[in-house]
Amino acid sequence: MIVESATGRRTPAFDTARLRTAAERSASGVTLPAVLPATALTVSSVTLTLANRAFECALPAYACSPASLPAAMPDTGWAPEGRHGLFVRNHDLYLRARDGNETVRLTSDGAEHFAYGALSGMSLMAVPLMRSQSPRPPFGITWSPDGGQFMSTRFDERKVESFPFVEAVPQDGSWRPKLWQPRIALVGDAERGDVEAAIFDVAKRSKTVIALKDGWRLYGQVFHWSADGRSAYGLVTMAALKAIGLAEIDLATGAVRIVVQEATPKWGRFNAFIYSQPNVRILEASREVLWFSERDGWGQVYFYDLGTGKLKRKLTAGQRTVRDIIGVDEKRRHLFFTAGGTDADPDPYFIRLYSTSLDGGAARLLSPETGVHLASRVPIGNAAPGSATTAALSPDGNWIVESHSALDRPPVAVLRSARDGRVVAVLETADVSRVAASGWRAPTRVKVLSADGKTPLWGTVYFPPNMRQGQKYPVIDAVYGGPQVTNAPADYREAVVTMNPRSRASLAELGFIVVMIDGRGTPGRSKAFNNESYEVFAELELADHVAGIRQLAERFGSFDLDRVGVYGHSFGGYTSARAILAYPDFYKLAVSSAGPHNFQGFYPVEGLFPAADYGDGKNIRPNPAAVPPNYARLDLMPLAPRLKGKLILVYGEMDENALPSVTLQMADALIKANKSFDLMYLPNQTHDFFRTSAYYTQRMWDYFIEHLMREEPPADFWLEIAAPSQTTGY
């Protein structure tokens, strides 16, 4: 569709039937797929790309002609302008031109475990890459927009110990188990590896190492390249995220100037949600910086002078946390952002869109509709991820595209005026007919008090269909427990997708009441609320879950508190196992998948937790069996004797996120405590098995049916998960 911004008038970009006819005529009898394979679109042309041929179709003439396809080079990562790219050979970087066979060797010091273009063994995807024989472009490369320079990151893991993964059922059909050994450092290891970041000048064929000093480490890649080609900007942190900063890198010398720096005693970050894009922007024309900080207890945006590093003003205020910087109108000097988190709202997890002047003043609400408002932060074209222009904000700063929804209201995409928030046009209303036809029912949003009796908490409950008055239903607590994400859906999309754990709506359809509560220690509200989990992880959140479920049972009357189970994956695997061990009289069953049941045998997760301290501030393990005292409280193995109910531990053989050894160490503790438990071992499965394994999902359902509902699961049932082409992308 083509939409006229000022009026909202919509017209089709092209006539689908005419385009198909024109393309098939040009394709000489080749049948096009049901969905036209459009790979590029302008107001005057459409490009259709098949596996081995392409067509350029002019509009509105609907005249298609064959277009040349570039030679397939899956091992090459191309610069934005496309004239040249990089590939790796024998651990070194090579430059090749798009046209011609010329290649140039750029480096000669690459080595095994210190290679260019290679992911770290700590990447959480090392084993699939080791098993794959397919060519792939180099990792750790960030190009400047003009393709004249690039940044390379490589990891020196030559002294890091290897970590064994045994592939007991080889994928190639052979019978002898295979051993994969990526380099993975564990908590307390003396050798964790070093990182080298360097800037390459393509024309000069030169390499300049970025010279970070005083304990600073690069956080990710360069996110902004100056227009004059002299500087680049990246984010930096200190060990355990005790400080964060903005680094200006001199591209000629590699020298670094820390423009902005801030001490952060408890896990510093650049966005309240660490998986979201950092809320830092360089405004190069005015030599200014937008900087995210939680120094006043809430996530706010501050304004700095790029040259001096001095604070100019605080741009946002109030008891709400900025979620994302959506865009900047540098000409009119306006910032656009989303925010939420205040308890004064009907729900602190609702997100709204705001604007504010870079020169100071109160923020203006642009999206008054109740619910969760989301705006795209995908960069346009070759713009760097940290640039001001995004797909949500029009280049002239006049219009914003965003969508909003609630648990019972499907997403609606709208075009708004960036000046006053006026809705110019409804662009799309999500077609949820297939979801509705499947029997989907919106869950219920709830509010309870935490275990301290005073802090308000919010959650979401999926109820079974056709509930009977006076009947009590078994309850399942769907948990995560990690301090970096929320778990209880607040909008339609999140309620349907239910990222972690899966099966909430499915379990409700099977007859369970499924509860999610975002307890103390989770993000999205104040920093103090989030910090509650810093040293104790899920301890307080579990107390809140128990208190909240008891309140809901009293409120609704249909909760059977004699049949309460819990399940979760990853950090949720830890939290679900902790639940049945810490509250054995409340939780009667736990399905714990891929849980890090102790952290002394895990890779470092400093930042989410404090750095491991073996005494006197020492973070090197004094002996192989040492447990850092500040991690002892997190260890589930000493709690093994407390197990009363039914527990199943599930792990994937090739899971690098939650190491299989830690699950087996937990199993060993339960065996030593003479406890009855179940163990499910999934050959070849990675961390994603909670999304991808129909077998695991069915067995998890069976476990709840048999041991919590106390019924016999169907013996002839066979769950199948639709292939991605049969779904909407999941």
Side-chain angles (χ1 to χ4, degrees), residues 461-481:
V461 181
Y462 292 76
F463 286 101
N466 306 316
M467 294 179 67
R468 297 179 181 176
Q469 185 72 26
Q471 182 173 332
K472 290 187 179 294
Y473 295 82
V475 180
I476 297 177
D477 188 0
V479 302
Y480 183 69

mmCIF file with all atom_site columns, all heavy atoms in Angstrom, residues 461-481:
data_model
loop_
_atom_site.group_PDB
_atom_site.id
_atom_site.type_symbol
_atom_site.label_atom_id
_atom_site.label_alt_id
_atom_site.label_comp_id
_atom_site.label_asym_id
_atom_site.label_entity_id
_atom_site.label_seq_id
_atom_site.pdbx_PDB_ins_code
_atom_site.Cartn_x
_atom_site.Cartn_y
_atom_site.Cartn_z
_atom_site.occupancy
_atom_site.B_iso_or_equiv
_atom_site.pdbx_formal_charge
_atom_site.auth_seq_id
_atom_site.auth_comp_id
_atom_site.auth_asym_id
_atom_site.auth_atom_id
_atom_site.pdbx_PDB_model_num
ATOM 1   N N   . VAL A 1 461 ? -3.743  -14.041 33.891 1.00 0.00 ? 461 VAL A N   1
ATOM 2   C CA  . VAL A 1 461 ? -4.251  -15.377 34.183 1.00 0.00 ? 461 VAL A CA  1
ATOM 3   C C   . VAL A 1 461 ? -5.004  -15.911 32.962 1.00 0.00 ? 461 VAL A C   1
ATOM 4   O O   . VAL A 1 461 ? -5.870  -15.231 32.399 1.00 0.00 ? 461 VAL A O   1
ATOM 5   C CB  . VAL A 1 461 ? -5.200  -15.373 35.400 1.00 0.00 ? 461 VAL A CB  1
ATOM 6   C CG1 . VAL A 1 461 ? -5.705  -16.783 35.693 1.00 0.00 ? 461 VAL A CG1 1
ATOM 7   C CG2 . VAL A 1 461 ? -4.496  -14.800 36.627 1.00 0.00 ? 461 VAL A CG2 1
ATOM 8   N N   . TYR A 1 462 ? -4.652  -17.135 32.559 1.00 0.00 ? 462 TYR A N   1
ATOM 9   C CA  . TYR A 1 462 ? -5.387  -17.863 31.518 1.00 0.00 ? 462 TYR A CA  1
ATOM 10  C C   . TYR A 1 462 ? -6.322  -18.850 32.212 1.00 0.00 ? 462 TYR A C   1
ATOM 11  O O   . TYR A 1 462 ? -5.855  -19.741 32.939 1.00 0.00 ? 462 TYR A O   1
ATOM 12  C CB  . TYR A 1 462 ? -4.427  -18.627 30.609 1.00 0.00 ? 462 TYR A CB  1
ATOM 13  C CG  . TYR A 1 462 ? -3.549  -17.768 29.725 1.00 0.00 ? 462 TYR A CG  1
ATOM 14  C CD1 . TYR A 1 462 ? -2.446  -17.093 30.238 1.00 0.00 ? 462 TYR A CD1 1
ATOM 15  C CD2 . TYR A 1 462 ? -3.809  -17.655 28.364 1.00 0.00 ? 462 TYR A CD2 1
ATOM 16  C CE1 . TYR A 1 462 ? -1.630  -16.322 29.425 1.00 0.00 ? 462 TYR A CE1 1
ATOM 17  C CE2 . TYR A 1 462 ? -3.007  -16.891 27.543 1.00 0.00 ? 462 TYR A CE2 1
ATOM 18  C CZ  . TYR A 1 462 ? -1.916  -16.222 28.078 1.00 0.00 ? 462 TYR A CZ  1
ATOM 19  O OH  . TYR A 1 462 ? -1.116  -15.471 27.262 1.00 0.00 ? 462 TYR A OH  1
ATOM 20  N N   . PHE A 1 463 ? -7.616  -18.691 32.004 1.00 0.00 ? 463 PHE A N   1
ATOM 21  C CA  . PHE A 1 463 ? -8.593  -19.568 32.635 1.00 0.00 ? 463 PHE A CA  1
ATOM 22  C C   . PHE A 1 463 ? -9.031  -20.668 31.661 1.00 0.00 ? 463 PHE A C   1
ATOM 23  O O   . PHE A 1 463 ? -9.049  -20.459 30.443 1.00 0.00 ? 463 PHE A O   1
ATOM 24  C CB  . PHE A 1 463 ? -9.822  -18.777 33.080 1.00 0.00 ? 463 PHE A CB  1
ATOM 25  C CG  . PHE A 1 463 ? -9.589  -17.931 34.297 1.00 0.00 ? 463 PHE A CG  1
ATOM 26  C CD1 . PHE A 1 463 ? -9.373  -16.569 34.185 1.00 0.00 ? 463 PHE A CD1 1
ATOM 27  C CD2 . PHE A 1 463 ? -9.582  -18.514 35.560 1.00 0.00 ? 463 PHE A CD2 1
ATOM 28  C CE1 . PHE A 1 463 ? -9.163  -15.790 35.311 1.00 0.00 ? 463 PHE A CE1 1
ATOM 29  C CE2 . PHE A 1 463 ? -9.377  -17.738 36.701 1.00 0.00 ? 463 PHE A CE2 1
ATOM 30  C CZ  . PHE A 1 463 ? -9.159  -16.372 36.578 1.00 0.00 ? 463 PHE A CZ  1
ATOM 31  N N   . PRO A 1 464 ? -9.410  -21.832 32.192 1.00 0.00 ? 464 PRO A N   1
ATOM 32  C CA  . PRO A 1 464 ? -9.924  -22.904 31.323 1.00 0.00 ? 464 PRO A CA  1
ATOM 33  C C   . PRO A 1 464 ? -11.260 -22.500 30.703 1.00 0.00 ? 464 PRO A C   1
ATOM 34  O O   . PRO A 1 464 ? -11.983 -21.653 31.244 1.00 0.00 ? 464 PRO A O   1
ATOM 35  C CB  . PRO A 1 464 ? -10.108 -24.086 32.283 1.00 0.00 ? 464 PRO A CB  1
ATOM 36  C CG  . PRO A 1 464 ? -9.328  -23.739 33.498 1.00 0.00 ? 464 PRO A CG  1
ATOM 37  C CD  . PRO A 1 464 ? -9.330  -22.245 33.596 1.00 0.00 ? 464 PRO A CD  1
ATOM 38  N N   . PRO A 1 465 ? -11.629 -23.116 29.589 1.00 0.00 ? 465 PRO A N   1
ATOM 39  C CA  . PRO A 1 465 ? -12.935 -22.826 28.986 1.00 0.00 ? 465 PRO A CA  1
ATOM 40  C C   . PRO A 1 465 ? -14.058 -23.488 29.789 1.00 0.00 ? 465 PRO A C   1
ATOM 41  O O   . PRO A 1 465 ? -13.842 -24.486 30.481 1.00 0.00 ? 465 PRO A O   1
ATOM 42  C CB  . PRO A 1 465 ? -12.815 -23.449 27.593 1.00 0.00 ? 465 PRO A CB  1
ATOM 43  C CG  . PRO A 1 465 ? -11.829 -24.562 27.761 1.00 0.00 ? 465 PRO A CG  1
ATOM 44  C CD  . PRO A 1 465 ? -10.845 -24.087 28.791 1.00 0.00 ? 465 PRO A CD  1
ATOM 45  N N   . ASN A 1 466 ? -15.221 -22.906 29.711 1.00 0.00 ? 466 ASN A N   1
ATOM 46  C CA  . ASN A 1 466 ? -16.434 -23.516 30.272 1.00 0.00 ? 466 ASN A CA  1
ATOM 47  C C   . ASN A 1 466 ? -16.275 -23.892 31.743 1.00 0.00 ? 466 ASN A C   1
ATOM 48  O O   . ASN A 1 466 ? -16.625 -24.993 32.167 1.00 0.00 ? 466 ASN A O   1
ATOM 49  C CB  . ASN A 1 466 ? -16.829 -24.757 29.458 1.00 0.00 ? 466 ASN A CB  1
ATOM 50  C CG  . ASN A 1 466 ? -16.973 -24.449 27.982 1.00 0.00 ? 466 ASN A CG  1
ATOM 51  O OD1 . ASN A 1 466 ? -17.553 -23.436 27.612 1.00 0.00 ? 466 ASN A OD1 1
ATOM 52  N ND2 . ASN A 1 466 ? -16.421 -25.313 27.135 1.00 0.00 ? 466 ASN A ND2 1
ATOM 53  N N   . MET A 1 467 ? -15.727 -22.967 32.537 1.00 0.00 ? 467 MET A N   1
ATOM 54  C CA  . MET A 1 467 ? -15.558 -23.240 33.967 1.00 0.00 ? 467 MET A CA  1
ATOM 55  C C   . MET A 1 467 ? -16.921 -23.346 34.647 1.00 0.00 ? 467 MET A C   1
ATOM 56  O O   . MET A 1 467 ? -17.861 -22.614 34.314 1.00 0.00 ? 467 MET A O   1
ATOM 57  C CB  . MET A 1 467 ? -14.714 -22.137 34.610 1.00 0.00 ? 467 MET A CB  1
ATOM 58  C CG  . MET A 1 467 ? -13.285 -22.094 34.114 1.00 0.00 ? 467 MET A CG  1
ATOM 59  S SD  . MET A 1 467 ? -12.326 -20.762 34.867 1.00 0.00 ? 467 MET A SD  1
ATOM 60  C CE  . MET A 1 467 ? -12.265 -21.315 36.573 1.00 0.00 ? 467 MET A CE  1
ATOM 61  N N   . ARG A 1 468 ? -17.002 -24.247 35.592 1.00 0.00 ? 468 ARG A N   1
ATOM 62  C CA  . ARG A 1 468 ? -18.252 -24.497 36.310 1.00 0.00 ? 468 ARG A CA  1
ATOM 63  C C   . ARG A 1 468 ? -18.232 -23.817 37.667 1.00 0.00 ? 468 ARG A C   1
ATOM 64  O O   . ARG A 1 468 ? -17.228 -23.851 38.382 1.00 0.00 ? 468 ARG A O   1
ATOM 65  C CB  . ARG A 1 468 ? -18.469 -25.996 36.485 1.00 0.00 ? 468 ARG A CB  1
ATOM 66  C CG  . ARG A 1 468 ? -18.636 -26.748 35.165 1.00 0.00 ? 468 ARG A CG  1
ATOM 67  C CD  . ARG A 1 468 ? -18.814 -28.223 35.413 1.00 0.00 ? 468 ARG A CD  1
ATOM 68  N NE  . ARG A 1 468 ? -18.958 -28.975 34.155 1.00 0.00 ? 468 ARG A NE  1
ATOM 69  C CZ  . ARG A 1 468 ? -19.054 -30.292 34.097 1.00 0.00 ? 468 ARG A CZ  1
ATOM 70  N NH1 . ARG A 1 468 ? -19.035 -31.013 35.225 1.00 0.00 ? 468 ARG A NH1 1
ATOM 71  N NH2 . ARG A 1 468 ? -19.186 -30.894 32.916 1.00 0.00 ? 468 ARG A NH2 1
ATOM 72  N N   . GLN A 1 469 ? -19.346 -23.217 38.009 1.00 0.00 ? 469 GLN A N   1
ATOM 73  C CA  . GLN A 1 469 ? -19.484 -22.551 39.294 1.00 0.00 ? 469 GLN A CA  1
ATOM 74  C C   . GLN A 1 469 ? -19.273 -23.546 40.427 1.00 0.00 ? 469 GLN A C   1
ATOM 75  O O   . GLN A 1 469 ? -19.842 -24.638 40.434 1.00 0.00 ? 469 GLN A O   1
ATOM 76  C CB  . GLN A 1 469 ? -20.883 -21.920 39.404 1.00 0.00 ? 469 GLN A CB  1
ATOM 77  C CG  . GLN A 1 469 ? -21.101 -21.088 40.649 1.00 0.00 ? 469 GLN A CG  1
ATOM 78  C CD  . GLN A 1 469 ? -20.333 -19.774 40.603 1.00 0.00 ? 469 GLN A CD  1
ATOM 79  O OE1 . GLN A 1 469 ? -20.044 -19.277 39.522 1.00 0.00 ? 469 GLN A OE1 1
ATOM 80  N NE2 . GLN A 1 469 ? -20.023 -19.227 41.766 1.00 0.00 ? 469 GLN A NE2 1
ATOM 81  N N   . GLY A 1 470 ? -18.437 -23.186 41.371 1.00 0.00 ? 470 GLY A N   1
ATOM 82  C CA  . GLY A 1 470 ? -18.199 -24.025 42.536 1.00 0.00 ? 470 GLY A CA  1
ATOM 83  C C   . GLY A 1 470 ? -17.135 -25.089 42.350 1.00 0.00 ? 470 GLY A C   1
ATOM 84  O O   . GLY A 1 470 ? -16.735 -25.735 43.320 1.00 0.00 ? 470 GLY A O   1
ATOM 85  N N   . GLN A 1 471 ? -16.662 -25.292 41.122 1.00 0.00 ? 471 GLN A N   1
ATOM 86  C CA  . GLN A 1 471 ? -15.620 -26.299 40.881 1.00 0.00 ? 471 GLN A CA  1
ATOM 87  C C   . GLN A 1 471 ? -14.243 -25.660 40.996 1.00 0.00 ? 471 GLN A C   1
ATOM 88  O O   . GLN A 1 471 ? -14.033 -24.529 40.581 1.00 0.00 ? 471 GLN A O   1
ATOM 89  C CB  . GLN A 1 471 ? -15.789 -26.919 39.490 1.00 0.00 ? 471 GLN A CB  1
ATOM 90  C CG  . GLN A 1 471 ? -14.766 -28.002 39.181 1.00 0.00 ? 471 GLN A CG  1
ATOM 91  C CD  . GLN A 1 471 ? -15.054 -28.711 37.867 1.00 0.00 ? 471 GLN A CD  1
ATOM 92  O OE1 . GLN A 1 471 ? -16.219 -28.789 37.450 1.00 0.00 ? 471 GLN A OE1 1
ATOM 93  N NE2 . GLN A 1 471 ? -14.021 -29.218 37.224 1.00 0.00 ? 471 GLN A NE2 1
ATOM 94  N N   . LYS A 1 472 ? -13.305 -26.409 41.577 1.00 0.00 ? 472 LYS A N   1
ATOM 95  C CA  . LYS A 1 472 ? -11.938 -25.915 41.721 1.00 0.00 ? 472 LYS A CA  1
ATOM 96  C C   . LYS A 1 472 ? -11.052 -26.582 40.675 1.00 0.00 ? 472 LYS A C   1
ATOM 97  O O   . LYS A 1 472 ? -11.210 -27.763 40.367 1.00 0.00 ? 472 LYS A O   1
ATOM 98  C CB  . LYS A 1 472 ? -11.412 -26.187 43.130 1.00 0.00 ? 472 LYS A CB  1
ATOM 99  C CG  . LYS A 1 472 ? -12.091 -25.334 44.208 1.00 0.00 ? 472 LYS A CG  1
ATOM 100 C CD  . LYS A 1 472 ? -11.432 -25.511 45.554 1.00 0.00 ? 472 LYS A CD  1
ATOM 101 C CE  . LYS A 1 472 ? -12.077 -24.643 46.623 1.00 0.00 ? 472 LYS A CE  1
ATOM 102 N NZ  . LYS A 1 472 ? -11.878 -23.191 46.361 1.00 0.00 ? 472 LYS A NZ  1
ATOM 103 N N   . TYR A 1 473 ? -10.093 -25.811 40.177 1.00 0.00 ? 473 TYR A N   1
ATOM 104 C CA  . TYR A 1 473 ? -9.233  -26.262 39.088 1.00 0.00 ? 473 TYR A CA  1
ATOM 105 C C   . TYR A 1 473 ? -7.769  -26.228 39.520 1.00 0.00 ? 473 TYR A C   1
ATOM 106 O O   . TYR A 1 473 ? -7.354  -25.334 40.275 1.00 0.00 ? 473 TYR A O   1
ATOM 107 C CB  . TYR A 1 473 ? -9.432  -25.366 37.862 1.00 0.00 ? 473 TYR A CB  1
ATOM 108 C CG  . TYR A 1 473 ? -10.812 -25.453 37.284 1.00 0.00 ? 473 TYR A CG  1
ATOM 109 C CD1 . TYR A 1 473 ? -11.870 -24.719 37.830 1.00 0.00 ? 473 TYR A CD1 1
ATOM 110 C CD2 . TYR A 1 473 ? -11.084 -26.281 36.198 1.00 0.00 ? 473 TYR A CD2 1
ATOM 111 C CE1 . TYR A 1 473 ? -13.153 -24.805 37.310 1.00 0.00 ? 473 TYR A CE1 1
ATOM 112 C CE2 . TYR A 1 473 ? -12.371 -26.372 35.663 1.00 0.00 ? 473 TYR A CE2 1
ATOM 113 C CZ  . TYR A 1 473 ? -13.391 -25.639 36.222 1.00 0.00 ? 473 TYR A CZ  1
ATOM 114 O OH  . TYR A 1 473 ? -14.660 -25.731 35.704 1.00 0.00 ? 473 TYR A OH  1
ATOM 115 N N   . PRO A 1 474 ? -6.981  -27.183 39.047 1.00 0.00 ? 474 PRO A N   1
ATOM 116 C CA  . PRO A 1 474 ? -5.548  -27.150 39.359 1.00 0.00 ? 474 PRO A CA  1
ATOM 117 C C   . PRO A 1 474 ? -4.898  -25.910 38.766 1.00 0.00 ? 474 PRO A C   1
ATOM 118 O O   . PRO A 1 474 ? -5.327  -25.402 37.725 1.00 0.00 ? 474 PRO A O   1
ATOM 119 C CB  . PRO A 1 474 ? -5.011  -28.433 38.728 1.00 0.00 ? 474 PRO A CB  1
ATOM 120 C CG  . PRO A 1 474 ? -6.011  -28.806 37.685 1.00 0.00 ? 474 PRO A CG  1
ATOM 121 C CD  . PRO A 1 474 ? -7.334  -28.329 38.182 1.00 0.00 ? 474 PRO A CD  1
ATOM 122 N N   . VAL A 1 475 ? -3.867  -25.435 39.440 1.00 0.00 ? 475 VAL A N   1
ATOM 123 C CA  . VAL A 1 475 ? -3.234  -24.153 39.109 1.00 0.00 ? 475 VAL A CA  1
ATOM 124 C C   . VAL A 1 475 ? -1.794  -24.401 38.669 1.00 0.00 ? 475 VAL A C   1
ATOM 125 O O   . VAL A 1 475 ? -1.070  -25.191 39.291 1.00 0.00 ? 475 VAL A O   1
ATOM 126 C CB  . VAL A 1 475 ? -3.250  -23.205 40.323 1.00 0.00 ? 475 VAL A CB  1
ATOM 127 C CG1 . VAL A 1 475 ? -2.591  -21.869 39.978 1.00 0.00 ? 475 VAL A CG1 1
ATOM 128 C CG2 . VAL A 1 475 ? -4.672  -23.000 40.824 1.00 0.00 ? 475 VAL A CG2 1
ATOM 129 N N   . ILE A 1 476 ? -1.377  -23.721 37.609 1.00 0.00 ? 476 ILE A N   1
ATOM 130 C CA  . ILE A 1 476 ? 0.013   -23.790 37.149 1.00 0.00 ? 476 ILE A CA  1
ATOM 131 C C   . ILE A 1 476 ? 0.598   -22.387 37.150 1.00 0.00 ? 476 ILE A C   1
ATOM 132 O O   . ILE A 1 476 ? 0.040   -21.462 36.564 1.00 0.00 ? 476 ILE A O   1
ATOM 133 C CB  . ILE A 1 476 ? 0.119   -24.396 35.738 1.00 0.00 ? 476 ILE A CB  1
ATOM 134 C CG1 . ILE A 1 476 ? -0.373  -25.845 35.740 1.00 0.00 ? 476 ILE A CG1 1
ATOM 135 C CG2 . ILE A 1 476 ? 1.559   -24.333 35.237 1.00 0.00 ? 476 ILE A CG2 1
ATOM 136 C CD1 . ILE A 1 476 ? -0.374  -26.484 34.352 1.00 0.00 ? 476 ILE A CD1 1
ATOM 137 N N   . ASP A 1 477 ? 1.727   -22.240 37.824 1.00 0.00 ? 477 ASP A N   1
ATOM 138 C CA  . ASP A 1 477 ? 2.475   -20.992 37.860 1.00 0.00 ? 477 ASP A CA  1
ATOM 139 C C   . ASP A 1 477 ? 3.496   -21.035 36.730 1.00 0.00 ? 477 ASP A C   1
ATOM 140 O O   . ASP A 1 477 ? 4.428   -21.835 36.750 1.00 0.00 ? 477 ASP A O   1
ATOM 141 C CB  . ASP A 1 477 ? 3.173   -20.868 39.220 1.00 0.00 ? 477 ASP A CB  1
ATOM 142 C CG  . ASP A 1 477 ? 3.820   -19.512 39.439 1.00 0.00 ? 477 ASP A CG  1
ATOM 143 O OD1 . ASP A 1 477 ? 3.738   -18.661 38.544 1.00 0.00 ? 477 ASP A OD1 1
ATOM 144 O OD2 . ASP A 1 477 ? 4.430   -19.315 40.512 1.00 0.00 ? 477 ASP A OD2 1
ATOM 145 N N   . ALA A 1 478 ? 3.310   -20.197 35.708 1.00 0.00 ? 478 ALA A N   1
ATOM 146 C CA  . ALA A 1 478 ? 4.236   -20.137 34.574 1.00 0.00 ? 478 ALA A CA  1
ATOM 147 C C   . ALA A 1 478 ? 5.278   -19.066 34.883 1.00 0.00 ? 478 ALA A C   1
ATOM 148 O O   . ALA A 1 478 ? 4.957   -17.876 34.926 1.00 0.00 ? 478 ALA A O   1
ATOM 149 C CB  . ALA A 1 478 ? 3.493   -19.809 33.283 1.00 0.00 ? 478 ALA A CB  1
ATOM 150 N N   . VAL A 1 479 ? 6.528   -19.467 35.100 1.00 0.00 ? 479 VAL A N   1
ATOM 151 C CA  . VAL A 1 479 ? 7.521   -18.545 35.643 1.00 0.00 ? 479 VAL A CA  1
ATOM 152 C C   . VAL A 1 479 ? 8.685   -18.353 34.680 1.00 0.00 ? 479 VAL A C   1
ATOM 153 O O   . VAL A 1 479 ? 8.952   -19.166 33.794 1.00 0.00 ? 479 VAL A O   1
ATOM 154 C CB  . VAL A 1 479 ? 8.064   -19.040 36.997 1.00 0.00 ? 479 VAL A CB  1
ATOM 155 C CG1 . VAL A 1 479 ? 6.954   -19.213 38.008 1.00 0.00 ? 479 VAL A CG1 1
ATOM 156 C CG2 . VAL A 1 479 ? 8.845   -20.338 36.829 1.00 0.00 ? 479 VAL A CG2 1
ATOM 157 N N   . TYR A 1 480 ? 9.389   -17.279 34.892 1.00 0.00 ? 480 TYR A N   1
ATOM 158 C CA  . TYR A 1 480 ? 10.710  -17.065 34.303 1.00 0.00 ? 480 TYR A CA  1
ATOM 159 C C   . TYR A 1 480 ? 11.686  -16.688 35.414 1.00 0.00 ? 480 TYR A C   1
ATOM 160 O O   . TYR A 1 480 ? 12.581  -17.437 35.740 1.00 0.00 ? 480 TYR A O   1
ATOM 161 C CB  . TYR A 1 480 ? 10.676  -16.010 33.196 1.00 0.00 ? 480 TYR A CB  1
ATOM 162 C CG  . TYR A 1 480 ? 12.032  -15.853 32.538 1.00 0.00 ? 480 TYR A CG  1
ATOM 163 C CD1 . TYR A 1 480 ? 12.543  -16.870 31.742 1.00 0.00 ? 480 TYR A CD1 1
ATOM 164 C CD2 . TYR A 1 480 ? 12.804  -14.714 32.722 1.00 0.00 ? 480 TYR A CD2 1
ATOM 165 C CE1 . TYR A 1 480 ? 13.790  -16.758 31.155 1.00 0.00 ? 480 TYR A CE1 1
ATOM 166 C CE2 . TYR A 1 480 ? 14.045  -14.591 32.133 1.00 0.00 ? 480 TYR A CE2 1
ATOM 167 C CZ  . TYR A 1 480 ? 14.546  -15.608 31.354 1.00 0.00 ? 480 TYR A CZ  1
ATOM 168 O OH  . TYR A 1 480 ? 15.787  -15.494 30.779 1.00 0.00 ? 480 TYR A OH  1
ATOM 169 N N   . GLY A 1 481 ? 11.501  -15.539 36.034 1.00 0.00 ? 481 GLY A N   1
ATOM 170 C CA  . GLY A 1 481 ? 12.293  -15.207 37.208 1.00 0.00 ? 481 GLY A CA  1
ATOM 171 C C   . GLY A 1 481 ? 13.543  -14.406 36.919 1.00 0.00 ? 481 GLY A C   1
ATOM 172 O O   . GLY A 1 481 ? 14.165  -13.885 37.849 1.00 0.00 ? 481 GLY A O   1
#
